[in-house]
Amino acid sequence: MNQIPVSLDNKTGLSRPAMLLIVLGMLVFAWQVALLTRDRAIQLLEEESRQQLNLYVASLQGQLEKYRFLPELLATNTRLVQLLNNPADPERIDALNRYLATINDIADASDTYLMDADGLTIAASNWQSERPFVGRNFSYRPYFKEAMKGNLGRYFALGTTSNKRGYYFAYPVRHQEQILGAVVMKITMSNIDSSWKRPDSDFIVTDPDGVIFITTNPDWRFKTIRQLPPEVHRRIIESKRYRDAQLTPLAARFDSTLSDKQILQVYVPKPVKFLVLEQAMPEAGWKVHILARMNAVYIQMWRAVLLSLVLFGVAILVLLILHQRRRRQLDRVRFEQQVKKNLEANESKIRAILENTQAGLLQMNMAGTIELANSKAHELFGYKNGEMDGESFLACFPDESQQQIRRIFASDHPQVSTIETLARRQKQDVFPVELSVGLLRLSGEEKRIATVHDISYRVAQEEALQHAHDQLEARVEARTRDLTTSNIRLSQEIDEHRQTEKALRETQDQLIQAAKLAALGQMSTGISHELNQPLAAIRSYADNARALVDNNRLEDAYWNMQQISELTERMAQISAQLKAFARKTTGQLVRVSLTAAVDTSVQILAPRIKESGASIDIALPGTELYVMADMVQLEQVLVNLIGNAIHAVEGEQIKTIEVAASEREGRVITRIRDSGAGVDQENFSRIFDPFFTTKEEGRGLGLGLSISHRIVEGMNGTLQVDNDPRGGAVFTLELDRAETPETSDE
Ligand code: ADP
């Protein structure tokens, strides 16, 4: 199944750079709004302040203009000329004082006074006050100097006497083109300050040197906007224009952020920014400034920024929502397209699977009418593609299969039922099929679905296999019969063989027995000698005993009878040995003492040894050796070997026979050596053959060694012959060692 792409990025659906860009845009926008609002607010403030400034200047000018012509008018008064011409006349002075006081009152001026050409005040409106001007000299005042030049003198200064800020208008008093003095009218400026006080703005009026002398903010009075050059500062101090005022600069600085505007930042008491506008009053030589507070500008600016940010944010939010909606729509469209594509792909995949499957697939309604069949089904039933639609499913089977088909088709629970049956190719032959019928639910409707496999090939294969199987079985049966026959024959043969073997063994045993008896026979001379001797002795002892009894020598007779008794004892021993040697073997391998076997054999052969004159040397180890053997048979072998040795030393100068034994690697080796002539080289290969003998007729049968060899093999041992380097033959008998018994025989 193909993956449907789903957008999984952040909730906004915006990438990080896009978000950064938006934030940056917001900041730039806010910045621009701030600048615009500020400029606009400043412009409004400027316009408003300009109006106020104009009003203020007009008002100032109005105030000054009101008085401007009064001195000039006064100067035309002859009383003044007369007094100047006769300054010592007290009446005139008094009259003029009164006159000036009247004028002063009418004009609402501060002071009005008359100065002579030397600057001495000769009459004044305040002649009655505490500190009248009369008699004081103000010749240093510039307004006086200007008036004495014939012009209108105007001057602003702090009154030296009154200590009030005042504006002075001075006009020359002429008589026949001669300037006699000057009349001065002083107006006070104090009430101007407070009357123009506004919460958001301040007015200041500066003189040509930049000293603030009128201001709505009392703290700024007699301060300078900028630092005064030292010589100017000195000059002003000397002129006493502002009496003792120090004329220090304002704690302020011009802000140069806006090049076309004058912004003054005043730090006392706390930093406040002002927009400064100025207007000159050339006649007065003043500059009037309005200082409008810029707080409102910044408040407006920040408010606008905030508003713009909110608006921008809302706009972005709206855009984002629209963007998200668009994206979701696009996603949905894409998803639907993908689903459609997947469905189509799946459908074509299913179609391909159906078409390429090796089984015939058919879909039927519950009545058994074929609704859909794949190409394989068409091919199987011999139809052209598409021809099966609408046909009866049952008609695809021969009559004999129809009953079965009907049954599984009608079954209530045909989850999947598979049967092997026959189908019919359209109007043609019948062929074997494997048919599965199942239930299919398509959109809530029940259908039957059938899978059909042509099993002709498989059936043919099965038949061939069955045939091969039958053939094989027949062949196996025949072969088994043969084998049984040969088996019976074989067991018969084995039985025969066993019989033969038994007979052979019996013969062999008889042979061994015969050989033994032969040996006994050979020994018979010695034995009879051995028995005859005691017999003769017994006879003479018995004769002696009888004679002694007759002579009543009972004691001696008793001794003779005791001898007889002892001799019979010896004879019984000899006979017991012979009996034991002659007895038949058990054939059982048991632990046997080699020493005992050697002793018995030597005892049995004792008569022959004695007769031959040979000496027998037995060299057995101190500890007794035990071998696994049959006692009688071992004795028979030893008797045979020692017997042959006795024969070999016959007629030899030195007649010695050695019997030695030793133990090596779990075997006991017994060597029988003689000092005879040894074995001829050509006889080595034949010496153990039956009936091989070099002895003269009547002395040997040639069976001794052959039987000994067989007996030794039967005891799991070996028997070998060799010639001893010192001369004579040496027979080596090797047998398995038996464990030494743990308890002694005592
Ligand atoms: P027999 O003693 O009846 O001849 P054996 O089988 O005992 O039969 O011996 C076969 C032959 O082996 C003897 O005839 C003899 O030639 C040879 N033989 C056996 N023992 C000795 C021996 N100790 N020295 C030399 N030859 C021997």
Side-chain angles (χ1 to χ4, degrees), residues 695-709:
K695 293 174 186 167
E696 66 266 32
E697 244 187 67
R699 292 210 63 184
L701 283 172
L703 282 174
L705 283 183
S706 116
I707 286 169
S708 296
H709 195 264

Side-chain angles (χ1 to χ4, degrees), residues 567-578:
L567 282 170
T568 52
E569 178 68 21
R570 206 182 134 210
M571 283 173 76
Q573 268 181 14
I574 293 168
S575 110
Q577 275 178 357
L578 289 173

Side-chain angles (χ1 to χ4, degrees), residues 102-352:
T102 310
I103 295 294
N104 194 64
D105 282 349
I106 293 167
D108 194 23
S110 171
D111 299 288
T112 308
Y113 48 99
L114 179 69
M115 297 163 81
D116 66 11
D118 300 322
L120 184 76
T121 309
I122 51 172
S125 57
N126 61 356
W127 58 282
Q128 277 180 313
S129 69
E130 262 176 58
R131 301 181 65 184
F133 291 174
V134 180
R136 300 190 60 186
N137 192 313
F138 298 119
S139 60
Y140 56 91
R141 291 291 203 191
Y143 60 84
F144 171 73
K145 288 175 185 165
E146 197 59 39
M148 288 310 286
K149 283 181 195 162
N151 302 321
L152 174 70
R154 324 165 59 123
Y155 188 59
F156 177 85
L158 207 60
T160 43
T161 320
S162 63
N163 201 18
K164 281 183 185 168
R165 286 170 299 152
Y167 196 80
Y168 300 84
F169 287 104
Y171 203 81
V173 182
R174 288 191 177 89
H175 182 244
Q176 296 167 353
E177 300 306 316
Q178 190 193 348
I179 297 172
L180 301 175
V183 60
V184 183
M185 187 170 270
K186 178 189 172 187
I187 52 172
T188 170
M189 296 267 140
S190 308
N191 54 344
I192 296 176
D193 293 347
S194 52
S195 63
W196 281 89
K197 185 142 186 70
R198 300 277 184 285
D200 297 330
S201 54
D202 284 296
F203 288 97
I204 54 173
V205 183
T206 54
D207 70 5
D209 294 318
V211 179
I212 302 167
F213 61 90
I214 299 175
T215 168
T216 46
N217 184 344
D219 296 337
W220 297 349
R221 194 174 295 153
F222 304 124
K223 299 263 180 195
T224 57
I225 292 181
R226 294 188 177 81
Q227 177 84 46
L228 290 178
E231 65 276 5
V232 176
H233 190 258
R234 200 171 45 246
R235 173 169 53 76
I236 299 172
I237 295 291
E238 277 172 6
S239 73
K240 296 187 181 169
R241 188 173 186 177
Y242 304 113
R243 286 173 58 103
D244 305 326
Q246 288 307 301
L247 309 180
T248 50
L250 262 183
R253 157 181 95 72
F254 277 99
D255 190 333
S256 54
T257 31
L258 294 169
S259 53
D260 60 332
K261 307 275 183 286
Q262 277 201 84
I263 309 283
L264 187 69
Q265 175 132 18
V266 180
Y267 294 100
V268 179
K270 53 186 179 188
V272 183
K273 271 190 178 178
F274 294 95
L275 174 71
V276 184
L277 297 178
E278 58 183 43
Q279 192 171 327
M281 284 177 64
E283 326 74 65
W286 296 350
K287 259 187 189 161
V288 183
H289 309 253
I290 179 165
L291 274 74
R293 277 171 198 270
M294 288 184 75
N295 299 12
V297 169
Y298 291 110
I299 288 169
Q300 268 185 44
M301 185 177 95
W302 287 120
R303 221 178 264 159
V305 164
L306 210 69
L307 193 70
S308 71
L309 283 179
V310 169
L311 283 177
F312 195 95
V314 168
I316 290 293
L317 215 65
V318 169
L319 281 176
L320 274 179
I321 289 167
L322 289 176
H323 174 71
Q324 281 281 36
R325 258 179 60 178
R326 173 107 189 94
R327 257 168 56 126
R328 264 207 303 279
Q329 270 171 357
L330 279 176
D331 276 353
R332 200 176 307 129
V333 168
R334 227 180 9 241
F335 182 80
E336 279 164 5
Q337 280 172 351
Q338 193 63 44
V339 167
K340 204 170 143 198
K341 224 156 79 185
N342 285 352
L343 273 176
E344 278 169 10
N346 283 347
E347 239 168 55
S348 62
K349 241 186 247 170
I350 292 169
R351 212 172 300 130

Side-chain angles (χ1 to χ4, degrees), residues 640 644-645 648 674 678-679 687 692-695 700-705 729 731:
N640 195 269
N644 277 349
D674 60 64
V679 181
I687 201 163
F692 171 77
T693 179
T694 56
K695 293 174 186 167
L701 283 172
L703 282 174
L705 283 183
F731 283 84

Side-chain angles (χ1 to χ4, degrees), residues 396-410:
C396 297
F397 297 89
D399 297 343
E400 62 264 35
S401 305
Q402 286 190 359
Q403 185 62 32
Q404 204 182 4
I405 307 289
R406 220 175 265 129
R407 203 170 47 245
I408 64 159
F409 208 80

Side-chain angles (χ1 to χ4, degrees), residues 530-531 533-541 560-574:
E530 199 73 5
L531 289 175
Q533 232 185 4
L535 269 178
I538 288 169
R539 194 179 302 127
S540 41
Y541 281 130
N560 273 305
M561 278 192 273
Q562 198 171 344
Q563 294 307 308
I564 290 166
S565 179
E566 277 175 19
L567 282 170
T568 52
E569 178 68 21
R570 206 182 134 210
M571 283 173 76
Q573 268 181 14
I574 293 168

